Amino acid sequence: MVVASFVLVTFAAVSAAFHSIQRAMAETAAASGVQVAASGTPGDPNTPDMAGAYAPTKKLLESVMFGTTIEPGPSSPSCGQGIPDATLQVCVYPDGDLVAETIRGRPGFPVPWIDQVLPWNIDVTVEMHQVSYQP
Amino acid sequence: MTRGSPSPLAGEVARSRAGGGVCSGRWSSGQALVETAVTLPILIALFFGFLGAGVAAQGFVDLNTAVYLAAASNVTAPAANLTNPSGPSGEALAQQYANDTFDHTLAHDSLLRKISFGCPGTLADYAAGGTITCSGTAVLEFSKTPLSIAIPFDPTISAQARATRSAYRSVPVP
């Protein structure tokens, strides 16, 4: 009984720590992506570069999202809907004068069957005022 | 009971330790029960402690990110309000950009409640090459989660970020 409890608590601690690392990286990735999105598009400095946010975000996410598919999502807050497990969507969209980036989904877990049980979803949204350029 | 007479319990223990008594199974299951009763609360406290540490780390990261992006918004705001000269000044515009970024980012975290945010600075800090320091404070609301059983208070956390303006601003602030 004690051994079983000990193993359970140890497993819970390790998986919670792993989720914390993944979520912290998602936050960092979203912050780096939204800065690109909030800056200007090449050739049109007053238009946010929505498409440019995906590449830096994906590059950072890949380092900790083992066995997870990372894909671009729709340009709206309805991000990560109807996607399979072990998939994350990166959505960049305007919100008034700000640009928002959302990373949403359920990342893969090192122990395959356990991610069905644990609610380790990732749902991170950051926003930044778009950069404007004046003559 | 007199000092000289052996107690019935002592006899039971002796038989149990010898392994031949009828109470052997009862003794060991009692021992396991006591061990479990002592260990289980500690393990449950550890479990909630790990989860609480994870949620706290998440709150710190979220607040840090919000302040960091707000500082970046502040230094990328226009140096002067050319599009609306009668509107807010360049400094006010920079502060507004930072506030908007901080508020909108923090609004997506259901466990953080804003207490204060600001990027105080002199006029020189808003000039080309100036450095601004932004600070944000928020309450991490454990009371909104089941973790409030183990963590019965809502800690206040804060974060700071510094950002430097480009030295090549189009409109220098006097």
Side-chain angles (χ1 to χ4, degrees):
Chain A
M1 176 78 170
V2 172
V3 172
S5 306
F6 177 77
V7 170
L8 190 70
V9 169
T10 306
F11 179 77
V14 170
S15 61
F18 188 69
H19 174 70
S20 287
I21 292 168
Q22 285 187 322
R23 198 188 176 286
M25 182 52 86
E27 190 88 25
T28 305
S32 73
V34 81
Q35 285 181 87
V36 174
S39 61
T41 306
D44 186 4
N46 284 315
T47 302
D49 187 9
M50 305 284 188
Y54 176 66
T57 303
K58 186 183 182 196
K59 200 169 178 62
L60 283 169
L61 284 176
E62 278 173 341
S63 59
V64 290
M65 303 293 177
F66 306 107
T68 304
T69 305
I70 300 160
E71 60 183 33
S75 291
S76 72
S78 60
C79 189
Q81 296 190 350
I83 58 171
D85 283 350
T87 306
L88 285 179
Q89 265 191 354
V90 179
C91 309
V92 188
Y93 50 93
D95 179 14
D97 286 339
L98 286 88
V99 176
E101 177 167 340
T102 297
I103 298 173
R104 194 172 287 153
R106 175 179 289 201
F109 201 74
V111 185
W113 53 269
I114 210 76
D115 68 342
Q116 306 292 322
V117 186
L118 295 173
W120 293 148
N121 293 339
I122 297 232
D123 185 359
V124 166
T125 302
V126 295
E127 298 200 27
M128 187 176 180
H129 205 292
Q130 67 186 59
V131 176
S132 56
Y133 293 87
Q134 295 187 107
Chain B
M1 185 189 302
T2 59
R3 182 180 280 270
S5 61
S7 76
L9 185 62
E12 195 169 290
V13 170
R15 277 198 302 278
S16 170
R17 285 189 176 158
V22 288
C23 299
S24 165
R26 197 187 306 164
W27 171 265
S28 56
S29 67
Q31 184 185 1
L33 200 67
V34 171
E35 282 176 358
T36 306
V38 170
T39 321
L40 212 57
I42 297 171
L43 289 176
I44 289 170
L46 275 175
F47 177 70
F48 277 108
F50 283 129
L51 287 183
V55 171
Q58 182 178 315
F60 272 114
V61 169
D62 287 0
L63 184 65
N64 260 311
T65 305
V67 174
Y68 161 73
L69 286 176
S73 287
N74 185 301
V75 297
T76 51
N81 199 348
L82 294 183
T83 50
N84 181 17
S86 59
S89 64
E91 303 85 72
L93 208 57
Q95 186 64 45
Q96 183 200 318
Y97 273 38
N99 278 334
D100 286 350
T101 298
F102 183 80
D103 291 346
H104 280 78
T105 299
L106 214 64
H108 293 288
D109 193 315
S110 56
L111 296 183
L112 287 179
R113 178 166 47 84
K114 176 186 170 183
I115 291 182
S116 65
F117 173 75
C119 304
T122 62
L123 207 58
D125 296 329
Y126 286 93
T131 298
I132 200 87
T133 303
C134 296
S135 316
T137 308
V139 172
L140 182 54
E141 297 184 305
F142 279 118
S143 54
K144 283 185 175 176
T145 70
L147 286 170
S148 58
I149 300 166
I151 307 167
F153 60 93
D154 293 339
T156 301
I157 55 176
S158 57
Q160 258 193 1
R162 284 159 63 88
T164 301
R165 277 167 221 289
S166 166
Y168 305 99
R169 304 197 77 180
S170 55
V171 181
V173 174

PDB file of all heavy atoms in Angstrom, chain B residues 55-86:
ATOM      1  N   VAL B  55       1.736  25.019 -10.355  1.00  0.00           N
ATOM      2  CA  VAL B  55       0.802  26.123 -10.646  1.00  0.00           C
ATOM      3  C   VAL B  55       1.472  27.467 -10.348  1.00  0.00           C
ATOM      4  O   VAL B  55       1.308  28.437 -11.099  1.00  0.00           O
ATOM      5  CB  VAL B  55      -0.498  25.964  -9.823  1.00  0.00           C
ATOM      6  CG1 VAL B  55      -1.366  27.198  -9.945  1.00  0.00           C
ATOM      7  CG2 VAL B  55      -1.267  24.736 -10.290  1.00  0.00           C
ATOM      8  N   ALA B  56       2.249  27.516  -9.264  1.00  0.00           N
ATOM      9  CA  ALA B  56       2.947  28.765  -8.925  1.00  0.00           C
ATOM     10  C   ALA B  56       3.966  29.113 -10.012  1.00  0.00           C
ATOM     11  O   ALA B  56       4.068  30.277 -10.431  1.00  0.00           O
ATOM     12  CB  ALA B  56       3.637  28.627  -7.571  1.00  0.00           C
ATOM     13  N   ALA B  57       4.701  28.104 -10.478  1.00  0.00           N
ATOM     14  CA  ALA B  57       5.685  28.347 -11.545  1.00  0.00           C
ATOM     15  C   ALA B  57       4.984  28.860 -12.800  1.00  0.00           C
ATOM     16  O   ALA B  57       5.466  29.793 -13.463  1.00  0.00           O
ATOM     17  CB  ALA B  57       6.448  27.064 -11.854  1.00  0.00           C
ATOM     18  N   GLN B  58       3.819  28.267 -13.092  1.00  0.00           N
ATOM     19  CA  GLN B  58       3.034  28.710 -14.251  1.00  0.00           C
ATOM     20  C   GLN B  58       2.620  30.173 -14.100  1.00  0.00           C
ATOM     21  O   GLN B  58       2.718  30.955 -15.045  1.00  0.00           O
ATOM     22  CB  GLN B  58       1.808  27.812 -14.330  1.00  0.00           C
ATOM     23  CG  GLN B  58       0.887  28.053 -15.486  1.00  0.00           C
ATOM     24  CD  GLN B  58      -0.269  27.058 -15.450  1.00  0.00           C
ATOM     25  OE1 GLN B  58      -0.074  25.871 -15.240  1.00  0.00           O
ATOM     26  NE2 GLN B  58      -1.476  27.547 -15.629  1.00  0.00           N
ATOM     27  N   GLY B  59       2.198  30.555 -12.905  1.00  0.00           N
ATOM     28  CA  GLY B  59       1.798  31.940 -12.653  1.00  0.00           C
ATOM     29  C   GLY B  59       2.962  32.906 -12.825  1.00  0.00           C
ATOM     30  O   GLY B  59       2.819  33.962 -13.442  1.00  0.00           O
ATOM     31  N   PHE B  60       4.128  32.508 -12.303  1.00  0.00           N
ATOM     32  CA  PHE B  60       5.319  33.358 -12.442  1.00  0.00           C
ATOM     33  C   PHE B  60       5.688  33.544 -13.916  1.00  0.00           C
ATOM     34  O   PHE B  60       6.009  34.648 -14.351  1.00  0.00           O
ATOM     35  CB  PHE B  60       6.505  32.735 -11.698  1.00  0.00           C
ATOM     36  CG  PHE B  60       6.575  33.139 -10.255  1.00  0.00           C
ATOM     37  CD1 PHE B  60       6.384  32.217  -9.253  1.00  0.00           C
ATOM     38  CD2 PHE B  60       6.840  34.448  -9.890  1.00  0.00           C
ATOM     39  CE1 PHE B  60       6.438  32.575  -7.921  1.00  0.00           C
ATOM     40  CE2 PHE B  60       6.902  34.823  -8.560  1.00  0.00           C
ATOM     41  CZ  PHE B  60       6.697  33.884  -7.568  1.00  0.00           C
ATOM     42  N   VAL B  61       5.656  32.452 -14.660  1.00  0.00           N
ATOM     43  CA  VAL B  61       6.021  32.533 -16.080  1.00  0.00           C
ATOM     44  C   VAL B  61       5.040  33.433 -16.821  1.00  0.00           C
ATOM     45  O   VAL B  61       5.438  34.281 -17.638  1.00  0.00           O
ATOM     46  CB  VAL B  61       6.054  31.115 -16.706  1.00  0.00           C
ATOM     47  CG1 VAL B  61       6.172  31.195 -18.216  1.00  0.00           C
ATOM     48  CG2 VAL B  61       7.202  30.306 -16.141  1.00  0.00           C
ATOM     49  N   ASP B  62       3.747  33.285 -16.535  1.00  0.00           N
ATOM     50  CA  ASP B  62       2.731  34.097 -17.214  1.00  0.00           C
ATOM     51  C   ASP B  62       2.912  35.585 -16.899  1.00  0.00           C
ATOM     52  O   ASP B  62       2.824  36.429 -17.788  1.00  0.00           O
ATOM     53  CB  ASP B  62       1.326  33.650 -16.793  1.00  0.00           C
ATOM     54  CG  ASP B  62       0.950  32.309 -17.402  1.00  0.00           C
ATOM     55  OD1 ASP B  62       1.776  31.748 -18.137  1.00  0.00           O
ATOM     56  OD2 ASP B  62      -0.157  31.812 -17.123  1.00  0.00           O
ATOM     57  N   LEU B  63       3.145  35.888 -15.633  1.00  0.00           N
ATOM     58  CA  LEU B  63       3.317  37.298 -15.249  1.00  0.00           C
ATOM     59  C   LEU B  63       4.594  37.880 -15.858  1.00  0.00           C
ATOM     60  O   LEU B  63       4.596  38.996 -16.377  1.00  0.00           O
ATOM     61  CB  LEU B  63       3.358  37.432 -13.723  1.00  0.00           C
ATOM     62  CG  LEU B  63       3.429  38.860 -13.193  1.00  0.00           C
ATOM     63  CD1 LEU B  63       2.164  39.635 -13.530  1.00  0.00           C
ATOM     64  CD2 LEU B  63       3.646  38.885 -11.680  1.00  0.00           C
ATOM     65  N   ASN B  64       5.670  37.090 -15.829  1.00  0.00           N
ATOM     66  CA  ASN B  64       6.927  37.533 -16.430  1.00  0.00           C
ATOM     67  C   ASN B  64       6.753  37.833 -17.909  1.00  0.00           C
ATOM     68  O   ASN B  64       7.257  38.841 -18.413  1.00  0.00           O
ATOM     69  CB  ASN B  64       7.986  36.436 -16.264  1.00  0.00           C
ATOM     70  CG  ASN B  64       8.914  36.738 -15.122  1.00  0.00           C
ATOM     71  OD1 ASN B  64       9.433  37.839 -15.020  1.00  0.00           O
ATOM     72  ND2 ASN B  64       9.120  35.766 -14.253  1.00  0.00           N
ATOM     73  N   THR B  65       6.045  36.954 -18.601  1.00  0.00           N
ATOM     74  CA  THR B  65       5.834  37.136 -20.038  1.00  0.00           C
ATOM     75  C   THR B  65       5.019  38.397 -20.298  1.00  0.00           C
ATOM     76  O   THR B  65       5.332  39.172 -21.212  1.00  0.00           O
ATOM     77  CB  THR B  65       5.105  35.909 -20.629  1.00  0.00           C
ATOM     78  OG1 THR B  65       5.845  34.745 -20.313  1.00  0.00           O
ATOM     79  CG2 THR B  65       4.959  36.028 -22.127  1.00  0.00           C
ATOM     80  N   ALA B  66       3.970  38.606 -19.494  1.00  0.00           N
ATOM     81  CA  ALA B  66       3.118  39.786 -19.690  1.00  0.00           C
ATOM     82  C   ALA B  66       3.922  41.071 -19.490  1.00  0.00           C
ATOM     83  O   ALA B  66       3.808  42.015 -20.285  1.00  0.00           O
ATOM     84  CB  ALA B  66       1.940  39.743 -18.725  1.00  0.00           C
ATOM     85  N   VAL B  67       4.768  41.101 -18.453  1.00  0.00           N
ATOM     86  CA  VAL B  67       5.567  42.312 -18.186  1.00  0.00           C
ATOM     87  C   VAL B  67       6.623  42.510 -19.277  1.00  0.00           C
ATOM     88  O   VAL B  67       6.860  43.631 -19.747  1.00  0.00           O
ATOM     89  CB  VAL B  67       6.221  42.226 -16.789  1.00  0.00           C
ATOM     90  CG1 VAL B  67       7.161  43.392 -16.551  1.00  0.00           C
ATOM     91  CG2 VAL B  67       5.156  42.201 -15.700  1.00  0.00           C
ATOM     92  N   TYR B  68       7.215  41.403 -19.693  1.00  0.00           N
ATOM     93  CA  TYR B  68       8.258  41.458 -20.737  1.00  0.00           C
ATOM     94  C   TYR B  68       7.688  42.007 -22.053  1.00  0.00           C
ATOM     95  O   TYR B  68       8.267  42.897 -22.685  1.00  0.00           O
ATOM     96  CB  TYR B  68       8.828  40.044 -20.911  1.00  0.00           C
ATOM     97  CG  TYR B  68       9.548  39.788 -22.193  1.00  0.00           C
ATOM     98  CD1 TYR B  68      10.805  40.327 -22.435  1.00  0.00           C
ATOM     99  CD2 TYR B  68       8.979  38.979 -23.175  1.00  0.00           C
ATOM    100  CE1 TYR B  68      11.462  40.078 -23.625  1.00  0.00           C
ATOM    101  CE2 TYR B  68       9.625  38.717 -24.353  1.00  0.00           C
ATOM    102  CZ  TYR B  68      10.866  39.272 -24.582  1.00  0.00           C
ATOM    103  OH  TYR B  68      11.510  39.028 -25.759  1.00  0.00           O
ATOM    104  N   LEU B  69       6.515  41.482 -22.455  1.00  0.00           N
ATOM    105  CA  LEU B  69       5.905  41.948 -23.704  1.00  0.00           C
ATOM    106  C   LEU B  69       5.436  43.397 -23.569  1.00  0.00           C
ATOM    107  O   LEU B  69       5.504  44.175 -24.529  1.00  0.00           O
ATOM    108  CB  LEU B  69       4.721  41.049 -24.079  1.00  0.00           C
ATOM    109  CG  LEU B  69       5.079  39.663 -24.615  1.00  0.00           C
ATOM    110  CD1 LEU B  69       3.824  38.838 -24.847  1.00  0.00           C
ATOM    111  CD2 LEU B  69       5.875  39.765 -25.917  1.00  0.00           C
ATOM    112  N   ALA B  70       4.964  43.768 -22.372  1.00  0.00           N
ATOM    113  CA  ALA B  70       4.520  45.148 -22.148  1.00  0.00           C
ATOM    114  C   ALA B  70       5.699  46.114 -22.280  1.00  0.00           C
ATOM    115  O   ALA B  70       5.569  47.193 -22.878  1.00  0.00           O
ATOM    116  CB  ALA B  70       3.882  45.270 -20.772  1.00  0.00           C
ATOM    117  N   ALA B  71       6.856  45.725 -21.732  1.00  0.00           N
ATOM    118  CA  ALA B  71       8.046  46.578 -21.856  1.00  0.00           C
ATOM    119  C   ALA B  71       8.456  46.712 -23.326  1.00  0.00           C
ATOM    120  O   ALA B  71       8.819  47.803 -23.793  1.00  0.00           O
ATOM    121  CB  ALA B  71       9.192  45.998 -21.033  1.00  0.00           C
ATOM    122  N   ALA B  72       8.351  45.602 -24.066  1.00  0.00           N
ATOM    123  CA  ALA B  72       8.688  45.645 -25.496  1.00  0.00           C
ATOM    124  C   ALA B  72       7.705  46.544 -26.240  1.00  0.00           C
ATOM    125  O   ALA B  72       8.095  47.279 -27.160  1.00  0.00           O
ATOM    126  CB  ALA B  72       8.667  44.231 -26.075  1.00  0.00           C
ATOM    127  N   SER B  73       6.431  46.501 -25.853  1.00  0.00           N
ATOM    128  CA  SER B  73       5.430  47.373 -26.489  1.00  0.00           C
ATOM    129  C   SER B  73       5.720  48.835 -26.192  1.00  0.00           C
ATOM    130  O   SER B  73       5.556  49.703 -27.053  1.00  0.00           O
ATOM    131  CB  SER B  73       4.029  47.048 -25.955  1.00  0.00           C
ATOM    132  OG  SER B  73       3.566  45.844 -26.471  1.00  0.00           O
ATOM    133  N   ASN B  74       6.144  49.095 -24.960  1.00  0.00           N
ATOM    134  CA  ASN B  74       6.431  50.474 -24.552  1.00  0.00           C
ATOM    135  C   ASN B  74       7.526  51.080 -25.429  1.00  0.00           C
ATOM    136  O   ASN B  74       7.382  52.210 -25.913  1.00  0.00           O
ATOM    137  CB  ASN B  74       6.844  50.486 -23.078  1.00  0.00           C
ATOM    138  CG  ASN B  74       7.054  51.879 -22.529  1.00  0.00           C
ATOM    139  OD1 ASN B  74       7.882  52.613 -23.040  1.00  0.00           O
ATOM    140  ND2 ASN B  74       6.302  52.250 -21.504  1.00  0.00           N
ATOM    141  N   VAL B  75       8.601  50.320 -25.638  1.00  0.00           N
ATOM    142  CA  VAL B  75       9.728  50.911 -26.383  1.00  0.00           C
ATOM    143  C   VAL B  75       9.508  50.919 -27.895  1.00  0.00           C
ATOM    144  O   VAL B  75      10.244  51.585 -28.614  1.00  0.00           O
ATOM    145  CB  VAL B  75      11.069  50.198 -26.059  1.00  0.00           C
ATOM    146  CG1 VAL B  75      11.431  50.370 -24.607  1.00  0.00           C
ATOM    147  CG2 VAL B  75      11.048  48.744 -26.460  1.00  0.00           C
ATOM    148  N   THR B  76       8.501  50.191 -28.359  1.00  0.00           N
ATOM    149  CA  THR B  76       8.242  50.220 -29.810  1.00  0.00           C
ATOM    150  C   THR B  76       7.086  51.157 -30.163  1.00  0.00           C
ATOM    151  O   THR B  76       6.702  51.249 -31.326  1.00  0.00           O
ATOM    152  CB  THR B  76       7.940  48.807 -30.348  1.00  0.00           C
ATOM    153  OG1 THR B  76       6.928  48.209 -29.542  1.00  0.00           O
ATOM    154  CG2 THR B  76       9.164  47.937 -30.367  1.00  0.00           C
ATOM    155  N   ALA B  77       6.522  51.831 -29.161  1.00  0.00           N
ATOM    156  CA  ALA B  77       5.464  52.808 -29.451  1.00  0.00           C
ATOM    157  C   ALA B  77       6.070  54.009 -30.173  1.00  0.00           C
ATOM    158  O   ALA B  77       7.268  54.276 -30.046  1.00  0.00           O
ATOM    159  CB  ALA B  77       4.818  53.250 -28.148  1.00  0.00           C
ATOM    160  N   PRO B  78       5.258  54.729 -30.932  1.00  0.00           N
ATOM    161  CA  PRO B  78       5.799  55.905 -31.626  1.00  0.00           C
ATOM    162  C   PRO B  78       6.363  56.916 -30.624  1.00  0.00           C
ATOM    163  O   PRO B  78       5.831  57.066 -29.522  1.00  0.00           O
ATOM    164  CB  PRO B  78       4.571  56.491 -32.329  1.00  0.00           C
ATOM    165  CG  PRO B  78       3.578  55.394 -32.393  1.00  0.00           C
ATOM    166  CD  PRO B  78       3.837  54.515 -31.226  1.00  0.00           C
ATOM    167  N   ALA B  79       7.422  57.588 -31.035  1.00  0.00           N
ATOM    168  CA  ALA B  79       8.061  58.560 -30.138  1.00  0.00           C
ATOM    169  C   ALA B  79       7.179  59.781 -29.908  1.00  0.00           C
ATOM    170  O   ALA B  79       7.222  60.402 -28.860  1.00  0.00           O
ATOM    171  CB  ALA B  79       9.403  58.991 -30.720  1.00  0.00           C
ATOM    172  N   ALA B  80       6.374  60.109 -30.889  1.00  0.00           N
ATOM    173  CA  ALA B  80       5.448  61.242 -30.729  1.00  0.00           C
ATOM    174  C   ALA B  80       4.165  60.900 -31.471  1.00  0.00           C
ATOM    175  O   ALA B  80       4.173  60.124 -32.423  1.00  0.00           O
ATOM    176  CB  ALA B  80       6.063  62.511 -31.285  1.00  0.00           C
ATOM    177  N   ASN B  81       3.081  61.476 -31.004  1.00  0.00           N
ATOM    178  CA  ASN B  81       1.785  61.155 -31.574  1.00  0.00           C
ATOM    179  C   ASN B  81       1.545  62.013 -32.814  1.00  0.00           C
ATOM    180  O   ASN B  81       0.803  62.997 -32.783  1.00  0.00           O
ATOM    181  CB  ASN B  81       0.710  61.395 -30.521  1.00  0.00           C
ATOM    182  CG  ASN B  81      -0.577  60.674 -30.854  1.00  0.00           C
ATOM    183  OD1 ASN B  81      -0.740  60.183 -31.965  1.00  0.00           O
ATOM    184  ND2 ASN B  81      -1.476  60.618 -29.896  1.00  0.00           N
ATOM    185  N   LEU B  82       2.161  61.644 -33.938  1.00  0.00           N
ATOM    186  CA  LEU B  82       2.068  62.453 -35.147  1.00  0.00           C
ATOM    187  C   LEU B  82       0.698  62.329 -35.811  1.00  0.00           C
ATOM    188  O   LEU B  82       0.203  63.272 -36.413  1.00  0.00           O
ATOM    189  CB  LEU B  82       3.152  62.026 -36.146  1.00  0.00           C
ATOM    190  CG  LEU B  82       4.597  62.301 -35.729  1.00  0.00           C
ATOM    191  CD1 LEU B  82       5.542  61.891 -36.850  1.00  0.00           C
ATOM    192  CD2 LEU B  82       4.800  63.773 -35.407  1.00  0.00           C
ATOM    193  N   THR B  83       0.111  61.129 -35.668  1.00  0.00           N
ATOM    194  CA  THR B  83      -1.175  60.926 -36.350  1.00  0.00           C
ATOM    195  C   THR B  83      -2.302  61.687 -35.661  1.00  0.00           C
ATOM    196  O   THR B  83      -3.299  61.997 -36.273  1.00  0.00           O
ATOM    197  CB  THR B  83      -1.516  59.429 -36.394  1.00  0.00           C
ATOM    198  OG1 THR B  83      -1.373  58.898 -35.069  1.00  0.00           O
ATOM    199  CG2 THR B  83      -0.600  58.676 -37.346  1.00  0.00           C
ATOM    200  N   ASN B  84      -2.142  61.953 -34.366  1.00  0.00           N
ATOM    201  CA  ASN B  84      -3.179  62.677 -33.623  1.00  0.00           C
ATOM    202  C   ASN B  84      -2.494  63.619 -32.634  1.00  0.00           C
ATOM    203  O   ASN B  84      -2.408  63.335 -31.439  1.00  0.00           O
ATOM    204  CB  ASN B  84      -4.085  61.680 -32.889  1.00  0.00           C
ATOM    205  CG  ASN B  84      -5.187  62.378 -32.124  1.00  0.00           C
ATOM    206  OD1 ASN B  84      -5.474  63.553 -32.366  1.00  0.00           O
ATOM    207  ND2 ASN B  84      -5.810  61.652 -31.203  1.00  0.00           N
ATOM    208  N   PRO B  85      -1.992  64.767 -33.142  1.00  0.00           N
ATOM    209  CA  PRO B  85      -1.210  65.677 -32.284  1.00  0.00           C
ATOM    210  C   PRO B  85      -1.979  66.177 -31.063  1.00  0.00           C
ATOM    211  O   PRO B  85      -1.376  66.509 -30.043  1.00  0.00           O
ATOM    212  CB  PRO B  85      -0.865  66.834 -33.233  1.00  0.00           C
ATOM    213  CG  PRO B  85      -0.995  66.262 -34.597  1.00  0.00           C
ATOM    214  CD  PRO B  85      -2.077  65.242 -34.531  1.00  0.00           C
ATOM    215  N   SER B  86      -3.303  66.244 -31.185  1.00  0.00           N
ATOM    216  CA  SER B  86      -4.075  66.725 -30.030  1.00  0.00           C
ATOM    217  C   SER B  86      -4.368  65.589 -29.045  1.00  0.00           C
ATOM    218  O   SER B  86      -4.937  65.831 -27.979  1.00  0.00           O
ATOM    219  CB  SER B  86      -5.394  67.341 -30.501  1.00  0.00           C
ATOM    220  OG  SER B  86      -6.125  66.361 -31.221  1.00  0.00           O
TER     221      SER B  86
END
